[in-house]
Structure formats: structure tokens, C-alpha cells
Amino acid sequence: MNLSDIKATLSFSNGSPEVALPVYKGSIGPDVIDIRKLYAQTGMFTYDPGFLSTASCESAITYIDGDKGELLYRGYPIEQLAQKCDFLDTCYLLLKGDLPSGNQREAFHKLVINHTMVNEQMQFFLRGFRRDAHPMAVLTGLVGALSAFYHDSTDVHNAEHRDIAAIRLIAKMPTLVAMAYKYGVGQPFMYPQNDLSYAGNFLRMMFGTPCEDYVVSPVLEKAMDRIFILHADHEQNASTSTVRLCGSSGTNPFAAIAAGVACLWGPAHGGANEACLNMLEDIQRNGGVAKVGEFMEKVKDKNSGVKLMGFGHRVYKNYDPRAKLMQETCNEVLAEMGLENDPLFKLAKELERIALEDDYFVQRKLYPNVDFYSGIVQRAIGIPVKLFTGIFALARTVGWIAQLNEMIGDPEYKIGRPRQLYTGAPRRDVP
């Protein structure tokens, strides 16, 4: 961190002494006021529910400018990465800090692809779940259980262990997600095939069967890879903060990532694209495109209880840059599958048109976000709605690992311990 020449001064109306607080500058983005000594100097805490104005850490991984609609991984715009790199290149970038050279790229791709198999006993663990269990419930258990199968890489303070765990998690997540899907539909598990790409291998494990050879569609392979890139990291969101907080206790990387999976399950976070597709299907059942205007009027009525999913974002106050790329991918996938006239896509386009033209939505900057189109893409590929969040977890794993590694390597790292404003009963005696 770079100390700014500017200092902040906190004053009190009761005559208490003023407190000078240092200010630190980032490379881009807002500066931060250092309040670490505030309690020692004043006996007070700050109060910031949801951490909307609190920087919980120093990070060099991902930067978001919500007003500009800008997302950078290690300084590279997401648009360029999605168009010029594949997911494993992006993984290398997030983990190492720079894009790989030719030799580094080949070695890293080979390393990940050669570790996609999971211990054979994992399938017996999986069979303890009900067939109709939600895939995220299954995935939370499977990821946490990895520490029981790969206990030679569970020391989070050992850099070599963290590197091994990182490769294992990135490599095995597609296998676990595909296994959770196959188990739910009663089909045999498909082993990874090392001559396929990361995304192609995942598609084969999902939709291939032992009955016949599975031919990977280049269009769907590219779409899947792009979904992974767009979801790889997103700064200090709820699940990333959960991974950091969990990892700050010194727990093993597999447990910390399992905590991230559990947090991601929530409909306000990773489940948003599932909620968006469910909304589109509800509109379709209730009249389709002809009823979109009526639906949007209900959204504007605060008393209706109707919510518009897939629009707006906690940090983006402009068009989500990932949404533009996902819309492009959506067009490609629907054309490949012969679904250009898909009714849900028509619904989505009409919702977007109204939201971008109606003053109510424009004034509130409710632009489409990445979840708006990613659900349609995944549905067209054949991924069931219940598995959408599992795909998100697969993609976000590398971001979680990069953030966890960064935290552990920070000399100022401490176990997380938020404070509170207590409003309960004061001390009292038992009668």
C-alpha cells in the first residue's frame, strides 16, 4: 500500500480530541481510510452493515469500476480475456499474476488436465446422497470431503501444499459437478478424457454415455469456456469474503472452498441466474411476450412483491461488461442448437428493451447483468436449472483459491473478527 499525503481527521461534537487517520492509495480506484487503530484511540467501532463502504483487505487480483462498467483481472479487461484467452490461461493469470508464455501455458494446461480424475472412493461417498438432492448440497459435501482424500495438501500455511491443492481443486471441480449431475439423473459416471480441453472434457463428462462416442461441439465448448472465464473472479463478493474469512482461521483449502460453495448457493448470489430463468419461465407460462409489459408494471409497483431478476448489480451502476459478452455467446449457442426462435430468448430481449427504454429502470440504472443471459445459454446447452449454481462454483473456484493464497501470503493477515453494535439487554442478575 502507498501512503497518501492526505490525512483524514475525525472530530466529535462532544469535545473529545480529534483523531488523525492515515489514507492509503491504490493503483486505481478509491483510496481507503485506515481505521485499524480507531478503537484503541477512541473506544469506538465503525458501523457498516453489508460492508458497503469497507475495504476488508488489500488485493491485486480483480478490479471493478461499477460506474464505468469495467472488470479487470490482474489489469486485463474481461472483454479481451474472453475473446483472446481460454479459461486455463485465465486461471494461470489469476493464480500467478501474469498470462502464461508458450511453454508455461503448455505445462499448466497439461498439469491441470492430468489431475481431473478423483479418488474412486468418491463415488461411494456420493451414493450416500438421495438421488433428488440439490446439486449444490451434493457439491458442498464433495468439495469438503476432498480434504479426507487428499490430506497431503491440507496445510494452508505451506506454499507447496497450497499450490498442489489449487491444481487439484481446479482440475477436479468439473469432474465433481458432472458426477453430481450424472448421479441425479441415474446415468453412469464418465471418466475424464485427457486429450480434450477443460471445457470440452466437462461437456463430455456431463452429456456423454458409455453407449457411444461423444463429439464436442466447438460452439458449445467455446460458450462453456467463456462462462467459466466470466465467472472466474469478481473481487470481494459474498462467497470470496466467506472463503477469506474461513481460510483466515487456518483451515485447509478444501474446507475454505467448500464454505465458498455453500455461500454461493444463495439466490442473491450464485443462484441469481437460476432465479432469472425461473422468472422467464413463469412469464412464459402466464402469457409470454404479450404479458411482458404487464409484468414490468408489476415490478414497478412496490406492493406487488414482483421482482425483476437478472437486472441491476450491487457494484455495477452501468451495463455489466460480462452481460454483453454473454449476450453474444447466447446468440451463437442458440444458432448452433437451432433455437433462434426460443421463446425465453424472445422474452429476455423484450425485457431488456423495456428496461433500457423505460425511465423507471433507466433512472435506477437497472441494466442486464451476467445472470440475465447465462441461464438461457446453459439451458440451451442442456444444463438443468438446478445445476446452474454448480457451474458457477466450478468457474469461481480459481478466484477463491487466488484470493485465499493472496490473503495467506499477506504479512498483515489476521484471523477475521468483525465487531458489532450491541443492542440487547444490559447486564442483569438472575433472580
Side-chain angles (χ1 to χ4, degrees):
M1 290 191 295
N2 295 318
L3 186 64
S4 172
D5 295 332
I6 300 170
K7 277 188 168 43
T9 303
L10 179 63
S11 60
F12 302 89
S13 60
N14 64 357
S16 296
E18 291 185 342
V19 176
L21 299 169
V23 174
Y24 287 95
K25 299 183 293 184
S27 52
I28 49 177
D31 297 341
V32 298
I33 300 170
D34 186 350
I35 60 168
R36 284 175 289 184
K37 295 182 180 178
L38 182 68
Y39 178 62
Q41 292 176 312
T42 67
M44 295 182 182
F45 302 137
T46 56
Y47 183 65
D48 184 21
F51 310 111
L52 301 186
S53 299
T54 299
S56 62
C57 63
E58 176 186 355
S59 182
I61 299 171
T62 303
Y63 174 74
I64 298 170
D65 187 323
D67 293 327
K68 291 182 180 177
E70 184 177 61
L71 171 61
L72 309 177
Y73 290 170
R74 300 285 191 181
Y76 292 104
I78 190 66
E79 299 91 332
Q80 294 179 22
L81 292 171
Q83 291 165 354
K84 298 181 179 181
C85 301
D86 69 12
F87 178 64
L88 289 184
D89 295 338
T90 305
C91 288
Y92 188 98
L93 171 68
L94 291 173
L95 292 173
K96 308 289 188 181
D98 288 299
L99 287 168
S101 65
N103 291 339
Q104 290 169 335
R105 184 179 191 274
E106 183 180 350
F108 185 76
H109 279 235
K110 184 177 180 180
L111 182 63
V112 173
I113 295 298
N114 285 346
H115 284 83
T116 48
M117 283 185 66
V118 297
N119 190 295
E120 193 72 2
Q121 287 180 264
M122 287 291 285
Q123 66 173 287
F124 301 112
F125 179 71
L126 185 63
R127 286 170 181 164
F129 292 99
R130 286 172 53 115
R131 291 275 183 185
D132 60 354
H134 194 288
M136 286 300 284
V138 175
L139 200 57
T140 303
L142 291 179
V143 175
L146 287 175
S147 58
F149 290 93
Y150 303 103
H151 46 76
D152 60 339
S153 56
T154 55
D155 183 357
V156 76
H157 296 292
N158 183 314
E160 185 179 355
H161 281 211
R162 293 200 305 272
D163 287 344
I164 294 169
I167 296 301
R168 283 175 169 165
L169 279 159
I170 294 166
K172 298 178 194 306
M173 278 296 283
T175 310
L176 296 180
V177 172
M179 288 175 71
Y181 168 69
K182 288 292 195 184
Y183 182 72
V185 296
Q187 293 183 5
F189 303 131
M190 294 293 287
Y191 289 107
Q193 192 166 302
N194 291 355
D195 61 349
L196 295 175
S197 71
Y198 189 86
N201 202 5
F202 175 67
L203 288 170
R204 180 183 171 275
M205 287 190 291
M206 280 285 293
F207 303 116
T209 68
C211 307
E212 56 189 6
D213 291 335
Y214 178 81
V215 179
V216 178
S217 160
V219 174
L220 301 189
E221 182 180 26
K222 177 187 172 185
M224 205 74 251
D225 194 77
R226 178 168 286 186
I227 287 172
F228 295 160
I229 292 173
L230 297 183
H231 289 87
D233 196 55
H234 210 239
E235 212 205 68
Q236 305 309 313
N237 52 79
S239 59
T240 298
S241 299
T242 297
V243 170
R244 278 181 172 263
L245 189 60
C246 183
S248 75
S249 73
T251 192
N252 70 77
F254 302 108
I257 301 306
V261 174
C263 179
L264 194 70
W265 192 355
H269 190 11
N273 54 8
E274 181 177 342
C276 182
L277 195 66
N278 287 336
M279 174 194 74
L280 292 174
E281 289 178 338
D282 284 342
I283 298 172
Q284 181 63 24
R285 280 192 294 269
N286 291 307
V289 173
K291 295 292 183 179
V292 169
E294 184 180 317
F295 173 82
M296 294 297 262
E297 289 302 316
K298 290 180 181 177
V299 170
K300 291 191 280 187
D301 180 1
K302 292 181 180 180
N303 298 319
S304 71
V306 175
K307 293 184 178 180
L308 180 62
M309 307 303 296
F311 285 78
H313 196 278
R314 170 68 73 86
V315 295
Y316 292 115
K317 305 307 174 191
N318 202 320
Y319 208 105
D320 182 343
R322 301 169 301 167
K324 296 177 183 177
L325 294 161
M326 192 52 65
Q327 184 188 46
E328 177 187 305
T329 299
C330 192
N331 288 323
E332 293 170 356
V333 168
L334 292 175
E336 169 72 4
M337 306 298 290
L339 298 172
E340 296 95 333
N341 296 318
D342 178 70
L344 291 193
F345 186 55
K346 286 185 175 180
L347 270 178
K349 292 295 290 181
E350 181 63 11
L351 282 173
E352 181 182 40
R353 184 192 66 78
I354 293 174
L356 294 178
E357 294 177 1
D358 190 303
D359 286 342
Y360 177 90
F361 299 103
V362 172
Q363 290 172 8
R364 288 163 176 77
K365 298 183 178 181
L366 293 177
Y367 299 100
N369 60 41
V370 69
D371 301 309
F372 186 61
Y373 286 109
S374 64
I376 299 173
V377 172
Q378 291 182 67
R379 172 179 169 272
I381 290 173
I383 296 167
V385 174
K386 287 203 304 184
L387 199 63
F388 286 1
T389 317
I391 304 296
F392 194 160
L394 188 171
R396 183 56 56 85
T397 293
V398 64
W400 290 332
I401 295 166
Q403 297 275 351
L404 178 64
N405 288 349
E406 182 180 65
M407 180 193 71
I408 298 298
D410 186 344
E412 297 187 356
Y413 134 74
K414 297 177 177 65
I415 184 172
R417 181 59 171 87
R419 308 307 291 258
Q420 66 175 19
L421 175 65
Y422 178 69
T423 55
R427 177 188 170 92
R428 49 185 172 174
D429 297 322
V430 176

